[in-house]
Amino acid sequence: MKKALITGITGQDGSYLAELLLEKGYEVHGVIRRASTFNTSRIDHLYQDPHVNGVKLFLHYGDLADSVQMVKLLYDLQPDEIYNLGAQSHVRVSFDVPEYTGDVVGVGSVRILEAIREAKLVNKTKYYQASSSEMFGKVQEVPQTETTPFWPRSPYGCAKMYAHWLTVNYRESYNLFACSGILFNHESPRRGETFVTRKITRAATRIKMGLQDKLYLGNLDAKRDWGYAKEYVEMMWLMLQQDQPDDYVIATNETHTVKEFVQETFALLDLDWEKYVDYDDRYERPAEVDLLIGDPAKAKKQLGWEPKVKFKELVKIMVDADLKLAQDEAKIKKALA
């Protein structure tokens, strides 16, 4: 039985990856931060007593800011694969907390890579780094590929770029099996509600059910390459199953504006979006990324992977899930009235 360690297991990608690995028969370990309230809602359906039903999922308290705990954890677990998905992952927020973002997103990857060396796992453990299309920022070519120069436009993008090149450096310096997935925007019903796509589908469905009046957004003209998170985690796993480590762009090779996402969402609900959506400059970034579109040709050629869920289907998946939430919320509100 292979053993995997996932940082960020309680997030969107971490929860889908945990499901995938458990289905493949892995023993899965996740790192979670200690909090005064439970934050495991995305994996609660998986986290059951392994002695009762055979589900091999175990959670450990830890933090990417704590190198000592990471070394101890790797000594104890001796994992075959490590997936570093933990981060302060909100781009707009990274402008407000740039130092924290750099510490967790950038230096956090160093702590894991050094822990692998300290625990003498260089020849045993395979490492996956969650890189980001935000590293391209002010894009230097369209579409973006693995060889496109980086020009990050946020503290988040800068931190991800640092972590990305460190992963390359450890691969070349220590012969560590280390891969980076340069994932473009990937969404799902498990996306956090402060991210623009989920903010849109959540608000629109609540408006449909009479629970909300308005949706406030920033830049509607930003263009993004949106894919389905559940599909993208398959690619993370595939990278670590190859004979040689490498880096791959994971994308749909389609770009759509935020306005298009809004229009598609409200159209599915038979609503006129212009009646409900207003502009708020608080949601503008100090430096914007105007256009992202990735070419996954290398992943298709070398790994046999390409996305199946495209833009319209992705929006529908999210709207359907959030409409059910809004309907349940409306029933509770009515019952309490």
Side-chain angles (χ1 to χ4, degrees):
M1 179 182 292
K2 280 188 176 180
K3 189 183 296 184
L5 176 65
I6 304 172
T7 68
I9 193 170
T10 60
Q12 170 188 253
D13 294 3
S15 63
Y16 281 125
L17 180 61
E19 284 180 346
L20 177 71
L21 296 179
L22 288 170
E23 288 170 4
K24 293 183 178 298
Y26 278 64
E27 178 178 308
V28 178
H29 295 259
V31 179
I32 63 170
R33 286 174 294 172
R34 177 74 177 89
S36 58
T37 56
F38 290 110
N39 61 351
T40 58
S41 58
R42 293 185 180 96
I43 57 172
D44 281 345
H45 64 294
L46 299 174
Y47 189 50
Q48 300 164 344
D49 187 346
H51 301 294
V52 174
N53 55 30
V55 175
K56 301 292 186 181
L57 176 61
F58 305 88
L59 301 182
H60 309 267
Y61 286 125
D63 197 300
L64 288 174
D66 186 348
S67 58
V68 174
Q69 169 62 9
M70 191 57 62
V71 172
K72 288 180 178 178
L73 198 55
L74 295 197
Y75 265 124
D76 291 341
L77 296 181
Q78 300 279 303
D80 299 289
E81 298 172 2
I82 297 175
Y83 297 86
N84 181 26
L85 312 184
Q88 188 299 100
S89 58
H90 199 288
V91 178
R92 176 63 189 84
V93 172
S94 77
F95 286 98
D96 299 325
V97 288
E99 181 181 346
Y100 174 75
T101 300
D103 186 33
V104 172
V105 176
V107 182
S109 65
V110 182
R111 295 183 180 110
I112 299 175
L113 289 165
E114 274 298 289
I116 292 172
R117 291 211 310 132
E118 181 65 28
K120 296 179 172 53
L121 295 173
V122 170
N123 296 320
K124 170 183 171 61
T125 301
K126 295 182 177 182
Y127 174 78
Y128 172 84
Q129 169 61 32
S131 290
S132 169
S133 60
E134 287 289 330
M135 300 187 303
F136 294 119
K138 189 176 180 180
V139 298
Q140 301 302 291
E141 64 181 7
V142 178
Q144 294 87 57
T145 70
E146 292 82 2
T147 59
T148 301
F150 298 137
W151 193 322
R153 299 267 284 172
S154 66
Y156 173 80
C158 292
K160 279 292 186 183
M161 183 173 150
Y162 176 64
H164 177 86
W165 280 117
L166 271 165
T167 303
V168 173
N169 187 258
Y170 273 68
R171 181 169 69 214
E172 295 176 350
S173 300
Y174 305 113
N175 201 31
L176 173 66
F177 194 111
C179 301
S180 288
I182 307 173
L183 271 60
F184 281 64
N185 293 65
H186 45 291
E187 319 298 321
S188 76
R190 297 183 191 176
R191 189 56 137 159
E193 293 183 20
T194 60
F195 289 83
V196 67
T197 51
R198 185 76 196 289
K199 181 178 178 180
I200 291 166
T201 59
R202 190 82 176 97
T205 52
R206 295 187 83 247
I207 288 169
K208 179 70 175 180
M209 298 306 300
L211 299 167
Q212 187 171 328
D213 298 323
K214 288 285 186 180
L215 167 61
Y216 296 93
L217 296 171
N219 181 13
L220 292 180
D221 297 321
K223 295 180 178 179
R224 294 292 184 268
D225 184 325
W226 278 301
Y228 185 28
K230 188 173 183 179
E231 284 188 335
Y232 281 29
V233 300
E234 297 173 16
M235 194 59 197
M236 300 175 186
W237 175 79
L238 267 176
M239 287 183 209
L240 298 195
Q241 311 314 307
Q242 305 308 303
D243 293 331
Q244 298 296 325
D246 208 342
D247 306 322
Y248 300 88
V249 161
I250 309 303
T252 68
N253 205 20
E254 291 183 9
T255 190
H256 299 272
T257 64
V258 175
K259 181 185 286 187
E260 286 179 79
F261 201 103
V262 170
Q263 290 171 331
E264 183 67 22
T265 297
F266 279 80
L268 286 170
L269 297 165
D270 296 319
L271 295 173
D272 180 359
W273 73 274
E274 291 182 290
K275 292 181 180 179
Y276 303 101
V277 178
D278 285 341
Y279 172 75
D280 190 330
D281 62 7
R282 290 179 300 172
Y283 300 115
E284 292 277 4
R285 301 178 186 177
E288 181 59 89
V289 174
D290 297 317
L291 167 64
L292 291 175
I293 177 171
D295 182 358
K298 180 179 175 181
K300 181 179 179 180
K301 180 180 179 181
Q302 295 189 16
L303 306 176
W305 181 92
E306 58 183 325
K308 300 179 183 67
V309 175
K310 295 298 180 72
F311 179 73
K312 286 181 178 292
E313 185 180 353
L314 172 64
V315 177
K316 188 176 188 306
I317 289 170
M318 295 179 67
V319 168
D320 287 349
D322 276 333
L323 182 59
K324 185 178 185 307
L325 287 179
Q327 289 169 339
D328 292 343
E329 185 181 352
K331 288 177 183 176
I332 293 171
K333 185 177 179 180
K334 184 178 179 180
L336 295 174

